[in-house]
Amino acid sequence: MTDFLALIAAKYNYWLYIVLMMIGLYAMIAKNNLIKKLVGMNIFQTAIILFYVSIGFKHDATIPIIQGDHGHGAAHAAIKAADYINPLPHVLMLTAIVVSVATFGVAMALCVKIYQRYQTLEEDELRMRLSEK
Amino acid sequence: MNNYPAIVVIAPLLGAFFAGITAWVEDRFTYPIALMALGIACCAAIGDLCIVLTSGPIQYKMAGWAPPMGIEYRIDALNAMVLVLVTGIAFLNLVASYQNVRQETSDRTGAFYVMYLLFVVGLTGVVSTGDLFNLYVLIEITSLSSYTMIALGDKDRGALASLNYIFIGVIGASFYLLGVGYIYIKTGSLNMADVASMMPAMAESSTMLAAFILCILGVFIKMALFPVHVWLPNAYSYAPVGFARIVAPLMTKVMVYAMVRLMITVFGFDYIFNTLSLAEGVVWMGTIAVLAGGIMALSQKNLKKMLTYIIVCEIGYMVGGAWLGNTLGMTGAILHILNDALMTFALFLAVGNMVYKLDRVDISDLQGLFAKMPWTMGGFVLAAFSIVGVPPTCGFFSKWYLILGAFEAGAYHFAAALLISSLICAVLFFKVFEVCFFEPMSEGHGDHGHAAVAMEEAPVSSLAVLGIVCVSLVVVGLYSGTIVDTVITPLLN
């Protein structure tokens, strides 16, 4: 049991992203309201962004900006990779955030369109309206 | 240094930009811009293919940055072939769809063409990129533009079908992204060739196993393999015709290409078939997809819906073939990417022509269509024969390779599913032909002599494109031996 807890504590960032992801997935599958589903979708995507951000992190490391005393002197200082957080996953996530925002925007616009047509965003009611046609 | 690999992607992108600007001023000018952009892309893709076939793979470093820093586009024979296919179909479809777009989305033709171009940007990018994260972004560009296009379609159900597609598409893309994250943790690289060179040393790693499963699962969702196919039929059948007939042949096929690329270039056959023991399970999934797609197609009353279920069935062929674990199966799967794109394109072109004249395409509405639209129906029959697998058409040859591969791998269930699904397709299409061939009951049945039905054909541009595609079905079929020898076999060795 203590082993298991230690395992969770040691890799808590992974457990956190899994829990968040499952919350998002649950909302996307189980919720009846389309907006709630969208919120679930956003949580799902955010979980993955958190995962990426956490894999770039190192203990006792600083931001990946070279800190020299003067502009030109900085280039001569040896760069130790261990001292800096890996910026690449963070940069990738900038793009992924843009993608997720764009998806969310398109989905919201579609919700507006659906609401204008059917006056409802509850999925069961929508299904009823569609079967009437 | 030639710039063809970049031009293929950049030309539609710039086209979308300029078309977007002119759409503010005057909607009419967007069409020629789109046509020109796709024409340039198509020529560049053909240029790519010529170079690759004469002097081997191209490594194109975007803006001159070498791979660990920059993004690399790597074009080999497989990419080049799929690029020609994508840009060619996109260009021909644009020519054919002019009237359909005017009829269906007359108030937003500008927006339609801009999104259409962005869709092509995504597809060509997915095909040519050599970078794993880049692949994710381009898949999402493709998906985002297809969400918006599907919402432009059917007034009642388009938006809802598109929203369901978004939910499932996001799950698929996110799984893929997660897999890329695991690859990055383990290898520290996002370049496909780099990862492949580190793969043999990591065959036992469980991180790599998780990465592999997540990536493949994400791609499976995006290509609509059977249990996760639910988004496809609604999304494709409620999309506007001009878009349905590019998304149906290309989107799923490009995702199959992405799977093949992950298998060949990133993880490698050795890892997939010798280290892991997943292949047999996936072949079973393919078998079930083939049968389920066929059976669900049988129960459809709407022609468009029926064709979308046939796509689900065809995806089963390609996935099953690729995972058989031998060269013959993979050859069949790659050849089927080409053939199935052409066949589906021809079928949807014919259906688009029918929609243009009839508006509704429930199978019972199609009575007497052979007399009314003989040319369209001629093309439809040829494409249907190709799907069933009648010899001179191309569908026969890829099925032949797939069946040979199945026998070699001892996967008799897959071979059986292939044969059964061919029979199901034959039944399906003869059901349609029967309705189309006989005169409507109200006009006095048994009286075949009088020509009461006037010929009402679709616009000449659509018919000409249908003709070209149908000829290409036979030509590709006759030359499939050459294609296998020059493109596929060197790649797999």
Side-chain angles (χ1 to χ4, degrees), chain B residues 429-451:
Chain B
F429 283 114
F430 279 99
K431 204 169 75 180
V432 176
F433 295 159
E434 195 192 358
V435 175
C436 299
F437 193 73
F438 293 111
E439 302 273 322
M441 297 303 243
S442 54
E443 297 193 359
H445 60 101
D447 193 13
H448 289 292
H450 79 110

Side-chain angles (χ1 to χ4, degrees), chain B residues 394-411:
Chain B
C394 59
F396 170 76
F397 295 94
S398 44
K399 274 190 191 174
W400 180 250
Y401 279 107
L402 288 173
I403 289 179
L404 285 183
F407 278 123
E408 196 186 290

Side-chain angles (χ1 to χ4, degrees), chain A residues 17 52 86 92 110 113 117-118, chain B residues 151 156 162 177 181-182 184:
Chain A
Y17 103 76
Y52 264 85
N86 183 0
L92 296 184
L110 289 177
K113 231 184 143 186
R117 182 144 192 102
Y118 294 104
Chain B
D156 288 327
S162 171
L177 181 61
Y182 279 105
Y184 184 71

